[in-house]
């Protein structure tokens, strides 16, 4: 085959060529041999980095100063390539290899793939935006990315519209720099937020926003690559040195998802009203109240609240009784409930359709997906409520004025989960919640623990159990990730 | 009012007649086949039926127009929904290996429901509508139609009255049908300006720079705002309503002025002029909050989402879901839309032409005769003009199908000639 000779030549120059750029598209897999230790270390450290990318992305805005500071710090401390420093060869090699290892771990299911692609994209976007403009253009050339540019005349005609559609775009910039024209499907992030000019199905993207198109390319390539990797995975998994590591890597990020209820049937329906005031996070308390008042909840609310109830231990029978008794007080008669809504409750418990046992929504999911519209009561009150209304509600729930101010400050800083944690601390009268909130059911469990005593003992039992299950290095990874959760404050 | 009194209890008698003699099956089939450009497009389409007693059946699919007709006439669905085109025939989805049965394509759809405006309309609430709040639908249609055509480059849009309290839009372009979930949700979010639920008071927030899309939308809203909001809805009339408008942006000095000035138009003028001082887009935000279309992103997002079919009957009102002619949008009256009872009654009325047509009847075979009869039938009823709108929509699309077919056969030719060249090269 004529390729062999070329390849041999490549390997010699390979390293120099491949790692002469700070940022890469991960088009070529690494060709060298590495030790198992390096394999594991690289993978674990990249996973820590991606986890930080996720946490910091939720708790700060992606373009905020805090985001930059925190990511910079993490990238440095984990020894990943950082803003094109001089002796970056080792770091770039690690970046390259660790990415491909994680591909192996995260290609298997739709969820894992989605998570991996999302974090890798955020990381890429961050690093691309850190590049100097010249380096950005270099990157495009090096990776053969050619995008259609708009003619000078068209630019002139559309100048005002372009300026009005893109933040930070001036008349001079339009004249001097390229404006790219791509089908709107290739610039969805800009379309979604309406940060681009659209005409006849094309998005007109100024040069300084080119990262969006590049990202789109990145996502497409990575998505295809993951699909291919999944197909060749069985061969990799048969290597018994790698199999346990890969499987632990893909489970490590998930954490507690409350899909297996520990307290099934321990809650009675009569307790729910009282519990909603004492141990429900604000979002669920809000949903419960709306349900009691209106005898109805729309789909988004039913899903968020229904799954939460499943997570705290309600059985299917209890759930059916709960929803039915409430809906029947409203406009829905028993028959209609059985025909229309009962199916949906059974669906939540995995008894219908695909038989997926749906997991209760995490805070991340509640905050980021499916924002509420008119007539909805779901979502995260710290994220989706008008601050004035939030304040009133907290006042009604007898939260102290200083406490309310603290919460509102956190909300202003977009630290929604921290605001909820503060709400926990204020309503339970403790200085420190003692946990890092990322799930409504976690809020409930922690609250119950606190109110029923015996919190510290439980934590010790958990820790010793955990160390028995996992090999040493991954045990330390779990510890790291938990600690990271706390340090994301 | 040319509407026969509709009684839901009559549906079991009227529906069979409707499906036998009035439902425009041939146009419907023509639409969903999309010119036969893609193989099995119609065969792999999911339909769902809601039958008597709220029995709901999914994954219905049909191989021919005839089969569709026979099944609908047999099952007599109260509601018909259209879903996605799948990788396999939906009726056989259980035989397919799990994971292999996928929704591949579907029209991009939008659902505008009047209940989503309950916080900003005073004339009606919930399922009720009236001529005053109907203006909201007109505004919605104008804004979305322009944006989908001019910004997104789509051409083939079918707007349909849902039969009770809203409108649907079916974007049928090839590119639209192939959109991914992410793309659909991006389009829906681009088109969304009113955000927030019960807990949000200020639902529209504008800041510089104002995107051209928002300016276009504002110019539509401005055309209707004074008559619709200030006069018809009287939003600056009563104290309660004024409070609601003003709490979106607390303006103490306006409240004082309003104590003396009762004329709503003057109140609005005062509000607009007070903007110059600050809170730049207060007036525009109010206009948008009260009038801008509210769409349910979840309906548009899913490739497999089922939506009520055009020409379906609304069981509660009896009205047929008819296409809306945008050229006549200003005069469209939802209360003039024919009900199933009306058109069934119109069917029974004898007409002059019937005697002549009887001679021609003998020469045709049964199916043709049935079709001709049906074509003749709906033409005698108030349904006729709406089917014409649908026909025009199909004509426009048909021209694009022809282009697609030519392109495809061209591609076939090209690849064949490459193959020949290759073969000849190998043998040299």
């Amino acid at each position: 085959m004529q390729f062999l000779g070329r390849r041999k030549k490549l390997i010699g120059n390979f390293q120099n060529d491949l790692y002469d750029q700070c940022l890469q598209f991960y088009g070529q897999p690494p060709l060298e041999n590495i030790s198992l230790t390096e394999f594991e270390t690289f993978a674990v450290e990249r996973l820590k980095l991606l986890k930080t990318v996720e946490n910091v992305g939720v708790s700060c805005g992606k373009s905020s100063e805090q985001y930059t500071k925190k990511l910079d710090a993490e990238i440095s401390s984990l020894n990943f390539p950082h803003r094109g420093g001089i002796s970056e060869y080792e770091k770039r090699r690690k970046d390259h290899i660790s990415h491909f290892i994680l591909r192996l771990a995260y290609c298997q299911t739709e969820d894992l793939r989605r998570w991996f692609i999302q974090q890798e994209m955020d990381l890429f976007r961050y690093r691309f935006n850190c590049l100097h403009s010249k380096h950005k253009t270099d990157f495009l050339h090096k990776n053969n990315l050619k995008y259609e540019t708009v003619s000078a005349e068209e630019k002139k005609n559309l100048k005002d519209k372009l300026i009005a559609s893109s933040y930070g775009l001036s008349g001079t910039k339009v004249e001097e720099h390229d404006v790219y024209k791509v089908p709107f499907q290739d610039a969805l992030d800009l379309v979604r937020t309406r940060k681009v000019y659209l005409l006849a199905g094309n998005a007109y993207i100024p040069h300084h926003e080119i990262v969006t198109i590049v990202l789109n390319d990145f996502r497409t390539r990575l998505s295809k690559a993951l699909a291919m990797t999944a197909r060749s995975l069985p061969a990799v998994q048969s290597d018994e040195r790698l199999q346990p590591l890969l499987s632990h890597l893909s489970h490590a990020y998930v954490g507690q998802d409350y899909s297996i209820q520990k307290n099934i049937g321990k809650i009675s329906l009569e307790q729910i009203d009282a519990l909603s005031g004492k141990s429900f996070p604000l979002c669920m308390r809000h949903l419960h109240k709306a349900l009691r008042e209106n005898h109805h909840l729309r789909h988004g609310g039913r899903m968020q609240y229904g799954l939460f109830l499943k997570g705290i231990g309600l059985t299917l029978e209890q759930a059916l009784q709960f929803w039915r008794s409430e809906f029947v007080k409203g406009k829905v008669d028993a028959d209609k409930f059985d025909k229309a809504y009962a199916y949906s409750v059974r669906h939540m418990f995995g008894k219908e359709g695909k038989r997926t046992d749906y997991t209760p929504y995490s805070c991340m999911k509640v905050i980021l997906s499916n924002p509420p519209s008119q007539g909805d009561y779901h979502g995260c009150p710290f994220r989706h409520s008008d601050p004035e209304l939030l304040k009133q509600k907290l006042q009604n729930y007898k939260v102290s004025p200083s406490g309310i101010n603290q919460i509102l400050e956190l909300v202003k800083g977009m630290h929604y989960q921290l605001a909820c944690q503060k709400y926990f601390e204020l309503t339970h009268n403790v200085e420190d919640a003692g946990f890092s909130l990322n799930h409504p059911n976690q809020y409930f469990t922690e609250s119950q623990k606190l109110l029923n005593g015996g919190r510290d003992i439980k934590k010790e039992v958990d820790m010793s159990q955990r160390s028995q299950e996992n090999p040493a290095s991954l045990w330390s990874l779990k510890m790291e990730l938990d600690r990271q959760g706390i340090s994301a404050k | 009012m040319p509407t026969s009194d509709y009684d839901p209890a009559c549906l079991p008698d009227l529906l069979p007649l409707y499906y036998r003699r009035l439902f425009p099956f041939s146009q419907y089939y023509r639409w969903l086949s999309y010119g036969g450009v893609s193989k099995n497009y119609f065969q792999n389409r999911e339909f769902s039926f809601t039958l008597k007693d709220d029995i709901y059946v999914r994954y219905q699919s049909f191989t021919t127009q005839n089969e569709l007709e026979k099944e609908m006439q047999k099952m007599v669905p109260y509601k018909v929904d259209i879903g996605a085109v799948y990788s396999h025939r939906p009726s056989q989805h259980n035989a397919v290996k799990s994971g292999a049965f996928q929704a591949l394509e579907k029209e991009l759809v939008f659902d505008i429901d009047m209940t989503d405006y309950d916080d900003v309309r005073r004339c009606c609430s919930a399922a009720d509508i009236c001529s005053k709040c109907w203006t909201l639908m007109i505004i919605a249609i104008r804004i979305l139609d322009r944006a989908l055509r001019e910004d997104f480059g789509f051409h083939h849009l079918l707007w349909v009255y849902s039969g009770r309290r809203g409108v649907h839009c079916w974007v049928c372009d090839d590119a639209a049908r192939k959109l991914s979930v992410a793309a659909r949700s991006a389009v829906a979010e681009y088109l969304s300006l009113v955000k927030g639920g019960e807990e949000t008071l200020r639902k529209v927030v504008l800041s510089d720079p104002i995107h051209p899309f928002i300016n276009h939308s504002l110019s539509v809203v401005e055309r209707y705002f004074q008559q619709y909001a200030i006069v018809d809805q009287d939003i600056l009339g009563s104290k309660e309503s004024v409070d609601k408008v003003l709490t979106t942006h607390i303006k103490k000095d306006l409240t004082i002025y309003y104590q003396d000035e009762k004329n709503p138009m003057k109140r609005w003028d005062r509000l607009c002029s007070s903007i110059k001082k600050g809170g730049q887009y207060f007036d525009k935000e109010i206009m948008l909050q009260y009038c801008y279309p509210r769409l349910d992103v979840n309906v548009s997002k899913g490739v497999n989402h089922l939506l009520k079919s055009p020409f379906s009957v609304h069981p509660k009102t009896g009205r047929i879901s008819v296409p809306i002619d945008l050229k006549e949008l200003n005069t469209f009256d939802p209360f003039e839309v024919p009900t199933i009872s009306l058109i069934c009654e119109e069917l029974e009325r004898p007409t002059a032409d019937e005697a002549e047509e009887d001679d021609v009847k003998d020469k045709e075979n049964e199916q043709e005769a049935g079709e001709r009869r049906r074509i003749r039938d709906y033409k005698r009823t108030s349904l006729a003009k709406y089917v014409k709108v649908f026909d025009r929509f199909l004509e426009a699309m048909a021209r694009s199908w022809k282009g697609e077919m030519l392109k495809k056969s061209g591609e076939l030719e090209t690849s064949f000639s490459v193959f020949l060249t290759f073969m000849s090269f190998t043998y040299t």
Side-chain angles (χ1 to χ4, degrees):
Chain A
M1 276 223 295
Q2 58 179 180
F3 294 110
L4 201 56
R6 224 177 123 223
R7 222 191 202 185
K8 274 197 185 142
K9 185 167 168 238
L10 263 180
I11 289 176
N13 299 328
F14 198 62
Q15 293 177 343
N16 290 336
D17 282 340
L18 197 57
Y19 297 143
D20 72 342
Q21 284 232 313
C22 172
L23 191 58
Q24 59 160 299
F25 248 10
Y26 308 108
Q28 301 292 336
L31 291 177
E32 43 176 299
N33 295 327
I34 65 172
S35 66
L36 270 183
T37 321
E38 232 182 5
F39 188 93
E40 192 177 323
T41 321
F42 281 5
V44 164
E45 294 193 339
R46 192 182 192 85
L47 187 56
K48 281 190 204 169
L49 177 60
L50 293 185
K51 212 28 182 112
T52 307
V53 167
E54 183 185 33
N55 281 340
V56 170
V58 171
S59 57
C60 328
K62 284 185 191 162
S63 37
S64 73
E65 222 181 277
Q66 264 196 319
Y67 183 80
T68 313
K69 245 181 10 199
K70 288 195 177 167
L71 260 195
D72 265 357
E74 188 74 4
I75 291 177
S76 289
S77 84
L78 287 170
N79 255 324
F80 279 99
H82 185 58
R83 296 176 185 267
I86 344 151
S87 54
E88 288 234 316
Y89 172 78
E90 280 305 321
K91 298 183 185 178
R92 293 176 190 179
R93 174 177 168 266
K94 176 170 159 180
D95 178 45
H96 185 210
I97 296 175
S98 59
H99 170 89
F100 276 89
I101 300 174
L102 286 191
R103 276 199 196 178
L104 294 172
Y106 282 85
C107 64
Q108 296 175 65
T109 72
E110 194 54 54
D111 271 348
L112 289 174
R113 286 200 276 235
R114 203 179 303 142
W115 184 86
F116 182 66
I117 293 178
Q118 183 62 53
Q119 311 322 319
E120 285 285 341
M121 278 181 62
D122 284 346
L123 180 62
F124 185 90
R125 182 193 296 115
Y126 174 73
R127 293 165 68 188
F128 188 86
N129 282 334
C130 287
L131 288 179
H132 200 266
S133 181
K134 179 179 178 311
H135 291 147
K136 282 187 191 168
T137 324
D138 284 346
F139 182 87
L140 295 181
H141 284 217
K142 193 102 204 298
N143 288 281
N144 265 321
L145 298 170
K146 294 195 181 70
Y147 302 113
E148 187 185 333
T149 52
V150 170
S151 70
E153 196 183 323
E154 207 182 346
K155 266 203 284 181
K156 207 161 67 140
N157 293 337
L158 297 175
K159 193 164 89 166
D160 291 330
K161 303 250 165 74
L162 291 173
I163 296 174
S165 330
S166 298
Y167 189 73
L169 188 62
S170 65
T172 18
K173 269 198 192 150
V174 174
E175 283 166 37
E176 289 173 6
H177 297 276
D178 283 329
V179 173
Y180 302 94
K181 184 163 121 171
V182 299
F184 80 86
Q185 291 92 327
D186 291 346
L188 291 182
D189 284 335
L190 290 176
V191 171
R192 183 190 318 275
T193 50
R194 213 182 300 114
K195 291 206 167 96
V196 68
Y197 179 62
L198 286 187
L199 185 62
N202 287 314
Y204 287 74
I205 304 183
H207 180 77
H208 70 274
E209 298 262 30
I210 194 154
V211 66
T212 320
I213 331 184
V214 177
L215 262 183
N216 202 65
D217 240 310
F218 183 78
R219 185 212 326 252
T220 320
R221 292 178 193 213
L222 187 52
S223 193
K224 281 201 186 109
L226 283 178
M228 279 201 333
T229 311
R231 284 200 277 273
S232 36
L233 198 59
V236 176
Q237 281 185 323
S238 61
D239 188 325
E240 15 174 82
R241 299 167 297 171
L242 300 182
Q243 197 272 333
L245 174 70
L246 290 178
S247 118
H248 276 113
L249 277 176
S250 58
H251 287 117
Y253 92 95
V254 170
Q256 212 352 349
D257 63 359
Y258 300 92
S259 56
I260 304 167
Q261 297 95 278
K262 298 205 176 89
N263 303 307
I264 304 185
K266 291 218 180 121
I267 311 264
S268 77
L269 294 183
E270 293 77 45
Q271 293 177 286
I272 294 188
D273 280 323
L275 283 174
S276 77
K278 286 192 302 192
S279 294
F280 281 12
L282 196 60
C283 54
M284 302 304 173
R285 188 173 180 180
H286 184 49
L287 277 164
H288 181 73
K289 186 154 176 282
L291 176 63
R292 286 282 191 233
E293 278 173 13
N294 305 324
H295 309 299
H296 187 268
L297 273 182
R298 281 185 166 190
H299 183 256
R302 292 200 301 271
M303 287 303 284
Q304 185 174 325
Y305 189 38
L307 288 171
F308 170 76
L309 290 175
K310 183 172 89 150
I312 68 174
L314 245 56
T315 62
L316 173 58
E317 290 66 38
Q318 283 180 306
L320 282 168
Q321 197 190 335
F322 175 74
W323 290 100
R324 198 169 192 263
S325 66
E326 202 52 57
F327 271 54
V328 158
K329 288 186 202 147
K331 294 187 198 164
V332 176
D333 63 57
D335 244 8
K336 168 118 195 244
F337 179 84
D338 286 332
K339 278 180 200 152
Y341 297 99
Y343 174 89
S344 146
V345 180
R346 285 198 305 276
H347 201 268
M348 264 187 248
F349 279 76
K351 303 284 184 240
E352 296 281 356
K354 273 192 321 205
R355 314 270 152 157
T356 319
D357 208 5
Y358 288 94
T359 53
Y361 296 169
S362 64
C363 288
M364 204 89 80
K365 183 155 182 176
V366 171
I367 292 171
L368 294 177
S369 47
N370 197 17
S373 336
Q374 185 51 37
D376 287 324
Y377 294 90
H378 63 265
C380 171
F382 301 101
R383 162 75 178 88
H384 297 118
S385 272
D386 198 271
E388 269 308 306
L389 285 177
L390 179 62
K391 186 168 167 191
Q392 275 173 34
K393 205 190 316 215
L394 292 171
Q395 281 167 345
N396 287 340
Y397 293 155
K398 310 271 193 310
V399 179
S400 71
S402 63
I404 295 183
N405 282 334
Q406 286 182 296
I407 291 182
L408 291 178
E409 272 307 304
L410 287 167
V411 166
K412 214 159 88 174
M414 299 194 351
H415 307 300
Y416 310 118
Q417 284 151 272
L418 296 177
C420 193
Q421 239 173 270
K422 179 58 63 181
Y423 169 77
F424 179 97
E425 286 160 11
L426 294 164
T427 51
H428 289 74
N429 242 317
V430 290
E431 272 286 314
D432 181 1
F435 63 96
S436 183
L437 180 67
N438 55 41
H439 201 295
N441 286 88
Q442 176 195 22
Y443 185 109
F444 180 80
T445 315
E446 292 292 336
S447 169
Q448 286 286 288
K449 259 196 265 181
L450 194 56
L451 296 174
N452 299 332
R455 178 165 80 137
D456 291 316
I457 304 168
K458 190 102 207 286
K459 215 179 182 135
E460 274 169 35
V461 171
D462 277 354
M463 279 171 71
S464 62
Q465 267 187 344
R466 263 192 254 148
S467 63
Q468 278 166 8
E469 287 169 19
N470 304 306
S473 61
L474 286 145
W475 156 237
S476 63
L477 170 64
K478 272 208 148 117
M479 280 299 283
E480 274 300 310
L481 293 178
D482 284 348
R483 246 203 294 130
Q484 270 208 354
I486 294 172
S487 74
K489 264 184 219 181
Chain B
M1 199 86 156
T3 318
S4 261
D5 283 334
Y6 166 74
D7 177 8
C10 294
L11 266 186
D13 300 315
L14 298 173
L15 280 174
L17 192 58
Y18 179 64
Y19 291 128
R20 249 186 17 248
R21 294 176 65 186
L22 293 164
F23 190 95
F25 281 108
S26 125
Q27 287 93 333
Y28 196 69
Y29 176 77
R30 203 168 155 228
W31 169 36
L32 295 173
S33 306
Y34 284 95
V37 175
S38 293
K39 263 179 64 168
N40 292 322
Y41 213 69
F42 182 80
Q43 289 75 7
N44 289 348
R45 169 82 69 168
E46 179 191 1
F47 296 87
S48 75
F49 293 157
T50 307
L51 310 174
K52 203 164 72 135
D53 295 330
D54 277 330
I55 298 178
Y56 182 65
V57 288
R58 268 193 77 174
Y59 301 113
Q60 304 299 295
S61 62
F62 312 98
T63 43
T64 60
Q65 174 185 332
N66 205 29
E67 195 186 315
L68 172 72
E69 285 185 39
K70 290 270 170 342
E71 285 304 302
M72 278 176 73
Q73 284 155 5
K74 192 168 82 181
M75 296 169 89
V76 191
Y78 277 36
K79 278 202 274 198
V80 181
D81 291 337
I82 300 180
V85 176
Y86 284 80
S87 51
H88 304 76
R89 291 191 192 176
S91 58
Q92 296 170 350
H93 73 283
N94 285 317
V96 180
K97 200 169 68 170
S98 134
F101 181 66
Q102 306 271 357
L104 299 177
E105 297 189 12
K106 191 178 71 70
E107 295 73 12
L108 173 63
V109 294
F110 296 95
D111 179 355
I112 319 281
D113 189 328
M114 202 72 90
T115 36
D116 291 337
Y117 296 80
D118 279 357
D119 63 319
V120 292
R121 54 173 184 149
R122 302 174 66 201
C123 50
C124 311
S125 71
D128 298 324
I129 63 168
C130 70
S131 55
K132 286 187 185 164
C133 51
W134 181 255
T135 313
L136 289 170
M137 294 294 115
I138 298 184
I139 296 174
I141 295 176
R142 292 219 185 279
I143 290 179
L144 296 177
D145 195 74
R146 184 215 67 82
L148 289 166
R149 287 180 195 279
E150 292 177 15
D151 294 7
F152 289 99
F154 294 127
H155 300 109
H156 305 293
L157 277 64
L158 181 70
W159 285 95
V160 182
Y161 172 53
S162 75
R164 189 161 62 154
R165 61 188 195 213
V167 293
H168 300 155
C169 179
W170 295 77
V171 186
C172 301
D173 294 56
D174 188 62
R177 286 179 274 131
K178 292 178 155 73
L179 287 177
S180 65
V181 171
R184 285 164 207 259
S185 100
V187 173
E189 289 193 45
Y190 175 94
L191 298 171
S192 300
L193 274 180
V194 181
K195 303 204 169 137
E198 303 291 326
E199 300 295 299
T200 312
L201 297 175
R202 187 174 163 200
K203 295 191 164 90
V204 181
V205 179
L206 297 179
S207 54
D208 277 321
I210 302 281
H211 193 279
F213 166 78
I214 299 181
N215 278 325
H216 279 298
S217 309
L218 268 170
S219 58
V220 175
V221 170
E222 278 163 4
R223 270 174 20 216
Y224 295 90
F225 185 76
Q226 298 223 336
Q227 181 61 38
Y228 165 74
I230 306 295
V231 177
D232 291 342
Q233 294 293 328
D234 199 25
I235 63 174
L236 292 180
S238 75
K239 180 179 189 312
E240 185 204 341
S241 183
V242 168
D243 281 347
K244 227 169 151 194
V245 174
L246 295 188
T247 41
T248 59
H249 302 70
I250 299 157
K251 293 276 174 186
K252 293 203 177 79
D253 43 343
L254 274 181
T255 321
I256 298 171
Y257 175 82
Y258 284 12
Q259 273 170 1
D260 298 324
E261 180 56 73
K262 299 292 175 199
N263 179 309
M265 207 56 93
K266 292 226 175 88
R267 284 178 163 184
W268 176 247
D269 287 338
R270 178 62 174 234
L271 191 153
C272 293
S273 58
S274 83
I275 311 301
K276 312 305 175 215
K277 295 176 198 162
Q280 294 184 302
Y281 299 115
F282 185 11
D283 56 337
K284 296 190 171 22
E285 288 176 359
I286 292 180
M287 285 199 277
L288 293 172
Q289 183 157 338
Y290 276 81
C291 298
Y292 184 86
R294 298 164 178 220
L295 39 98
D296 186 349
V297 177
N298 291 316
V299 169
S300 309
K301 203 157 79 169
V303 179
N304 56 1
H305 191 101
L306 291 145
L307 186 64
K308 183 153 188 249
S309 167
F311 296 105
S312 189
V313 182
H314 197 296
K316 297 217 172 72
T317 61
R319 297 207 194 267
I320 314 289
S321 283
V322 292
I324 300 175
D325 184 359
L326 256 55
K327 295 201 205 76
E328 312 280 317
L329 184 57
N330 286 336
T331 50
F332 182 90
D333 182 355
F335 299 102
E336 292 288 313
V337 169
T339 61
I340 188 176
S341 11
L342 174 70
I343 56 181
C344 286
E345 193 212 317
E346 285 170 333
L347 205 55
E348 301 306 314
R349 293 188 214 142
T351 66
D353 329 316
E354 282 217 309
E356 294 169 40
E357 314 253 1
D358 280 339
D359 301 326
V360 195
K361 236 201 296 182
D362 303 322
K363 299 187 186 140
E364 300 167 9
N365 66 36
E366 207 188 282
Q367 183 180 346
E368 280 179 21
E371 239 180 74
R372 258 183 29 89
R373 209 180 300 125
R374 202 179 307 111
I375 294 173
R376 204 182 35 185
D377 281 346
Y378 75 69
K379 285 197 176 155
R380 284 156 57 171
T381 68
S382 309
L383 198 57
K385 78 171 190 187
Y386 299 101
V387 180
K388 264 217 194 80
V389 177
F390 194 48
D391 280 330
R392 285 198 291 268
F393 164 75
L394 289 176
E395 276 312 302
M397 273 213 297
R399 275 168 270 169
S400 73
W401 298 335
K402 221 159 77 199
E404 281 298 304
M405 281 300 240
L406 282 174
K407 220 169 61 179
K408 265 208 167 168
S409 58
E411 277 168 18
L412 218 57
E413 266 177 43
T414 318
S415 51
F416 189 61
S417 62
V418 167
F419 173 72
L420 284 181
T421 314
F422 175 70
M423 291 298 287
S424 64
F425 181 71
T426 324
Y427 282 119
T428 311

